[in-house]
Amino acid sequence: MMKIELTTIDDTNTAEIKNVLEYLETEKKSAIANGDEDKANNCWLNLASLDLNILFIKAFNNIKLKNYRQAWNELEQCEIKENYIRENSYKDHIAASRLDFIKSKISKWQSLYPYCLFCSPGFKVGYYSCSICGHKIRPRSRCEHKKGKVYNGQLCVHEVHDMEMLEISIVTKPAQKYSVMHDDSTLDFTLLEHLSSFLDNAFEDWNIRWTKMKFPIARFSSVSKEDKCPCKSDKTFEACCMAKNEVEIPHVDFLFSKPLPSDAENIVFPYDNG
Ligand SMILES: [Zn+2]
Ligand SMILES: [Zn+2]
C-alpha cells in the first residue's frame, strides 16, 4: 500500500486520498462478493482508520476556527470510532494508524471544554436486532454476532426498534456527549483558543498539567465581596476565600514538544492577569 500524507485539513481533500478511499471500498465489495472475510475485514479496518484520522483532523481544524461545538461533536464521533477500530484491530495496525495518539488527545481536548451539563433522554426500547443477520435479540435468544465486532467487512451494531422517549434528565456525565445544555456564547473557550493557537496540525504532540497556584490575597483587592470567588468555587468571594491569606486558583500548564515562538514564551494561562 502506498504512503499517503494525511496531516492537515487540505490533505483530507486531495485526489490521492479520495482514490485510496475508493480503492478500499471497491476491494471490500469484491472481497465480500468472493467470500474472503479476512480481506473484507482488513478493508473495513483501513477505511475506518482513515475515516478516524480525517475526522480528527476536522475536529482540530474546527477548534482552530473556533467552531467549538462542532469540534466537540466530532471528537465524540472520533471516540466512538476509535473504540470500534481498537476492538477489531491488532498491535501493528494500532501503531500505524495513530490510534493511541488520537485516543489520548480526544480526552485531553475534551477536558479543556467548559461544558458540564448535558441532557440525557431516557428511552423505552421495543426490541433490538443484529445489523449483520437481522436476528431479533431477546434475553434468551442471541445470534452468533457480537456487538462492535466486524463480520465480513461490516460492523455489528444492535439496531433499536419501537423506541419511545420517556423523559429527559439533566446530567453531568452523559452517555452521549453531544447533548450539551449550554449556550456556547455564554461560555469561556480561552483554553482551547490558546492551546490551538500554538499548534499547526492535529498531530503535534502536547500535554496538559492541571495544578493550583497560590496568590496573595492583596492581588484581589479589586474583587468585591458579592463577586464570584476568583478560586472558581462558584461561591461569592465573601463566602469563600476573602478571609484567607492566599487564594488558590486552578491553573493549567500546556507542555509542548516543540519550542514555542519567542513572542509567546512569557504567556501565562489562564487566570493570572496580574
Ligand atoms: Zn447476528
Ligand atoms: Zn474561593
Side-chain angles (χ1 to χ4, degrees), residues 28 31-32 35-46 90 150-153:
K28 189 174 94 175
I32 292 171
D36 186 346
E37 175 150 22
D38 285 347
K39 191 174 172 190
N41 290 352
N42 205 47
C43 288
W44 177 90
L45 186 58
N46 282 305
Y90 48 90
V150 172
Y151 299 92
N152 214 7

Side-chain angles (χ1 to χ4, degrees), residues 229-233 240-241 244 247:
C229 188
C231 80
K232 305 268 161 187
S233 66
C240 193
C241 298
K244 298 179 188 165
V247 181

Side-chain angles (χ1 to χ4, degrees), residues 7-109:
T7 309
T8 67
I9 192 76
D10 292 336
D11 296 338
T12 65
N13 245 325
T14 58
E16 205 187 3
I17 189 80
K18 283 193 187 107
N19 286 339
V20 172
L21 292 171
E22 258 170 48
Y23 168 82
L24 286 167
E25 281 292 354
T26 314
E27 286 286 286
K28 189 174 94 175
K29 278 196 192 111
S30 76
I32 292 171
N34 297 328
D36 186 346
E37 175 150 22
D38 285 347
K39 191 174 172 190
N41 290 352
N42 205 47
C43 288
W44 177 90
L45 186 58
N46 282 305
L47 276 166
S49 306
L50 281 174
D51 189 39
L52 171 67
N53 272 269
I54 290 170
L55 195 58
F56 185 67
I57 292 169
K58 284 186 178 159
F60 173 80
N61 195 55
N62 275 320
I63 292 172
K64 280 278 229 194
L65 295 172
K66 305 191 183 19
N67 299 327
Y68 299 119
R69 180 70 63 98
Q70 174 144 9
W72 172 265
N73 293 339
E74 286 165 347
L75 286 170
E76 182 184 28
Q77 286 305 308
C78 285
E79 196 180 348
I80 295 166
K81 283 175 200 282
E82 198 277 335
N83 269 317
Y84 283 137
I85 296 169
R86 190 171 291 270
E87 180 73 15
N88 292 280
S89 195
Y90 48 90
K91 210 171 142 224
D92 288 350
H93 179 85
I94 287 175
S97 57
R98 301 164 165 162
L99 239 59
D100 289 334
F101 181 92
I102 292 175
K103 185 185 169 79
S104 84
K105 289 300 180 282
I106 291 170
S107 56
K108 282 176 189 161
W109 280 115

